[in-house]
Amino acid sequence: MNLVAKLLPPANVIVDVSVSSKRRLFERIGLLFETNHGVASSVVFESMFARARLGSTGLVHGVALTHGRIKGLNDALGALLLLSAAVPFGSPDGTPVHLA
């Protein structure tokens, strides 16, 4: 199995995700990791929210690389979400995020 397939399994790629805010996006990602990997959604949410308090993880052109560290998680996991409508994120260029 190649590294990308290990980090980003097909079940972690979701299109047409409907969320109304950055907070709801973090909650949705938490639910995804709880369902697919058994990591508590609240732990995922808190990890991403804590990282976001340090500074925006929004890049430019509507892309965010939201992330966090979870104590006890030995392997990196990834997800890719395409939002049905962009949400404000505090990106450097001010563009709302549609891809996270």
Side-chain angles (χ1 to χ4, degrees):
M1 175 183 296
N2 70 40
L3 181 59
V4 173
K6 183 177 179 185
L7 291 174
L8 189 60
N12 288 9
V13 178
I14 306 174
V15 298
D16 201 26
V17 176
S18 179
V19 294
S20 57
S21 66
K22 180 184 351 184
R23 181 180 190 88
R24 296 292 179 235
L25 174 61
F26 291 171
E27 289 172 351
R28 180 64 182 89
I29 294 169
L31 181 60
L32 181 144
F33 282 105
E34 183 172 84
T35 301
N36 293 350
H37 303 285
V39 180
S41 62
S42 60
V43 172
V44 174
F45 173 83
E46 288 300 327
S47 174
M48 288 189 300
F49 201 77
R51 172 53 189 88
R53 281 193 296 265
L54 297 174
S56 179
T57 55
L59 301 177
V60 293
H61 306 295
V63 177
L65 187 57
T66 186
H67 60 284
R69 289 182 180 237
I70 298 175
K71 188 175 183 175
L73 189 63
N74 296 324
D75 295 316
L77 295 170
L80 180 65
L81 284 76
L82 178 60
L83 307 182
S84 56
V87 296
F89 210 85
S91 300
D93 67 353
T95 306
V97 164
H98 68 275
L99 184 65

